[in-house]
Amino acid sequence: MEIAILVFVIAVIFISRSVKIVPQQNAWVVERLGKYHGALTPGLNFLFPFIDRVAYRHSLKEVPLDVPSQVCITRDNTQLQVDGILYFQVTDPMRASYGSSNYIVAVTQLAQTSLRSVIGKLELDKTFEERDIINAQVVQAIDEAALNWGVKVLRYEIKDLTPPKEILHAMQQQITAEREKRALIAASEGRRQEQINIATGEREAFIARSEGEKQAVINKAQGEASSITAVAEATAGAIERIAAAIRQPGGELAVQLKVAEKAVEAYGKVASDATTTLIVPSNMTEVSALITSAMAMVRQQKN
């Protein structure tokens, strides 16, 4: 019975050492007699008991690594308390096992030194504005060295940048001053725009008034021109009718009579004015001669 139990125990030990089940996204490094032999893939694997042994177990998943907070000095000699998080993945189990005694510590230390180097090249204001550039440069610096450790650095993210309290107070004052400056500029721009709008309105009103006055003058001139044209046309029509009447039989005698009446009427108006000295022609035949001259002009116009 004891022999059976012993055989059973030996069989269990033999099976436990010879049969290995590797979980998914894991890689186990096997050493044979102390020398690297290979890496076990996920699933069922068999080893030689007491000859092969699993020396290292690595997870091939993406690992988030919290980088401890540290003090970095910027280009303008300002201290910053910086902490971040690093994402990496084991890509080569053999190098991860033998490339470094502890690749996690190595990656962490390299991330800190790389971050200090990158921050030291930037001024304080740039560190807040160019986080993406800082992250990219840190990843590039770590990734070049981590290849020898069988590790692929995927990305680095800065979690917090904390300057000293004095710098924070100065930055707050600067922000307040900048906001007050923007408020003053906005108010002045509003007043300027108001003055521009008022001037533009007055100009447009003046233009509208001048256009109205101009149109009124044009309309008045056009009305006067139309009135003069109408009077001229009426006068021309009257003259034409008079001329036509003169050409009729007895027209000249009527004109003579009309001229004589006008002459006598004119003499009568002059004689009725007590303040006017009237000079009467000595020979009344001169009046007849005047009438004759007028009729001669009428005939000439008629011909």
Side-chain angles (χ1 to χ4, degrees), residues 33-147:
L33 299 178
K35 183 179 179 182
Y36 172 76
H37 176 66
L40 301 181
T41 58
L44 183 63
N45 296 270
F46 297 96
L47 302 178
F48 289 104
F50 307 105
I51 297 177
D52 297 337
R53 74 180 185 92
V54 176
Y56 300 97
R57 290 177 170 86
H58 299 290
S59 174
L60 302 181
K61 299 177 183 178
E62 182 176 343
V63 179
L65 178 62
D66 190 12
V67 179
S69 178
Q70 62 176 334
V71 176
C72 300
I73 299 177
T74 63
R75 184 177 180 181
D76 49 357
N77 297 323
T78 302
Q79 293 184 352
L80 283 178
Q81 193 77 20
V82 186
D83 60 349
I85 185 168
L86 183 69
Y87 296 87
F88 70 93
Q89 185 178 21
V90 175
T91 57
D92 190 340
M94 190 272 287
R95 291 195 177 196
S97 301
Y98 304 103
S100 174
S101 60
N102 191 332
Y103 62 86
I104 294 179
V105 175
V107 169
T108 302
Q109 294 296 323
L110 186 58
Q112 289 182 314
T113 56
S114 300
L115 181 61
R116 286 196 296 268
S117 176
V118 173
I119 293 293
K121 298 177 182 178
L122 299 175
E123 296 180 353
L124 177 62
D125 294 337
K126 293 295 183 180
T127 58
F128 296 100
E129 298 174 0
E130 300 182 357
R131 285 197 178 192
D132 293 338
I133 297 177
I134 296 173
N135 295 337
Q137 291 181 354
V138 170
V139 169
Q140 183 180 2
I142 300 175
D143 197 38
E144 292 177 357
L147 289 176

Side-chain angles (χ1 to χ4, degrees), residues 134-192:
I134 296 173
N135 295 337
Q137 291 181 354
V138 170
V139 169
Q140 183 180 2
I142 300 175
D143 197 38
E144 292 177 357
L147 289 176
N148 295 326
W149 307 331
V151 175
K152 173 67 177 177
V153 178
L154 301 177
R155 59 188 180 275
Y156 178 82
E157 296 291 340
I158 294 177
K159 291 196 299 183
D160 193 16
L161 287 171
T162 307
K165 294 181 179 180
E166 295 79 8
I167 301 297
L168 285 175
H169 183 65
M171 292 174 64
Q172 186 63 39
Q173 290 181 336
Q174 181 181 2
I175 293 173
T176 303
E178 185 66 25
R179 289 179 178 175
E180 292 176 352
K181 174 184 174 183
R182 292 179 181 177
L184 292 175
I185 292 175
S188 64
E189 287 291 335
R191 290 192 296 269
R192 173 175 172 270

Side-chain angles (χ1 to χ4, degrees), residues 184-262:
L184 292 175
I185 292 175
S188 64
E189 287 291 335
R191 290 192 296 269
R192 173 175 172 270
Q193 189 62 41
E194 179 184 2
Q195 296 297 326
I196 291 174
N197 293 339
I198 293 174
T200 302
E202 292 177 351
R203 183 186 66 180
E204 293 179 354
F206 177 78
I207 293 173
R209 287 194 297 269
S210 63
E211 288 290 336
E213 293 173 356
K214 173 184 175 183
Q215 190 63 39
V217 172
I218 292 173
N219 294 339
K220 182 179 179 181
Q222 290 178 349
E224 293 177 354
S226 300
S227 176
I228 293 172
T229 302
V231 172
E233 290 178 352
T235 304
I239 293 173
E240 289 179 358
R241 287 194 293 272
I242 292 172
I246 293 173
R247 295 189 187 95
Q248 300 296 325
E252 293 184 4
L253 295 176
V255 172
Q256 292 178 6
L257 178 60
K258 191 68 175 176
V259 172
E261 289 178 354
K262 293 294 183 181

